[in-house]
Amino acid sequence: MPTRQSAPVLTIDGPSGSGKGTISRLVAEHLGWRLLDSGALYRAVGYAAGMAGLDLSDAEAVTRCAQTTKIQFRAAPHDGETRVIVNGHDATDELRTETAGAAASAIASIPTVRQALVDLQLGFRKAPGLVADGRDMGTVIFPDAAYKVFLTASAAERAKRRYKQLKEKGLSVTLASLQSEIEARDARDASRAVAPLKPARDAVLVDTTGMGIEDVVAKVLAVVNP
């Protein structure tokens, strides 16, 4: 279990589509802190496993994949979106699909895969501070974080957001199927034996349903600077 470090950490956990990625990037930019998109790590391993033709239920093979996959984050000033490089390939767009999300959720339930990625995540904790975006940042990876937020929103709201995001990328999706997938993933993530999705006891809950991005950012920043 990680020990307390000097660099402060703000954890932002929540279900898929709650706005964690966007909010975390903006908050990290405002604070001048480092950013950890833990979900991208799991999506990257799921993507690499798929490219290698692995069966995602084969725990041993997927764990080896998690241990050997090379993952890098690169800033992209022209659009503000952090690029994710997987084994030398810019897989950012592929990682944002529902297929990649489902793969990430599936392998995240494998204890040995989670352990393989723990040290990598802890390594992001450096001065001046870290904004950690994920599902178990405040409960498992950084339980001693000084600041914790749990973002949520209705399944219908999250489906609409994801629909808009994917349509803008030119992908063919339906609102009904997205909502169904999100609800199924919520149930799977909340019921898994290892690090289930739930707010940390000391997390500030923020329901983003119907809220604008600036309002959510302000609420989160208020947790760090009351």
Side-chain angles (χ1 to χ4, degrees), residues 18-161:
S18 59
K20 300 188 306 294
T22 298
I23 301 305
S24 296
R25 282 197 302 273
L26 293 173
V27 168
E29 182 179 329
H30 183 91
L31 295 172
W33 289 6
R34 294 161 60 86
L35 174 65
L36 165 60
D37 179 354
S38 67
L41 299 182
Y42 286 96
R43 286 171 179 257
V45 172
Y47 170 79
M51 292 299 290
L54 301 181
D55 179 348
L56 296 184
S57 65
D58 185 338
E60 185 175 340
V62 176
T63 298
R64 284 198 301 271
C65 183
Q67 294 169 336
T68 59
T69 298
K70 303 300 182 184
I71 305 168
Q72 297 172 288
F73 294 96
R74 292 180 185 168
H78 64 282
D79 62 6
E81 182 178 17
T82 301
R83 310 305 294 180
V84 187
I85 313 302
V86 182
N87 292 330
H89 170 69
D90 186 337
T92 308
D93 293 338
E94 292 98 320
L95 299 190
R96 298 305 177 195
T97 64
E98 289 304 303
T99 298
S105 181
I107 67 171
S109 65
I110 303 175
T112 48
V113 170
R114 300 191 72 85
Q115 187 57 48
L117 294 178
V118 166
D119 289 341
L120 179 60
Q121 294 174 82
L122 294 178
F124 280 80
R125 187 175 195 170
K126 297 178 181 177
L130 173 68
V131 175
D133 155 16
R135 284 178 168 77
D136 63 355
M137 295 297 96
T139 55
V140 177
I141 306 301
F142 300 106
D144 63 334
Y147 315 104
K148 298 179 183 179
V149 170
F150 190 87
L151 293 185
T152 188
S154 68
E157 173 95 353
R158 288 183 282 136
K160 289 177 184 176
R161 293 174 183 172

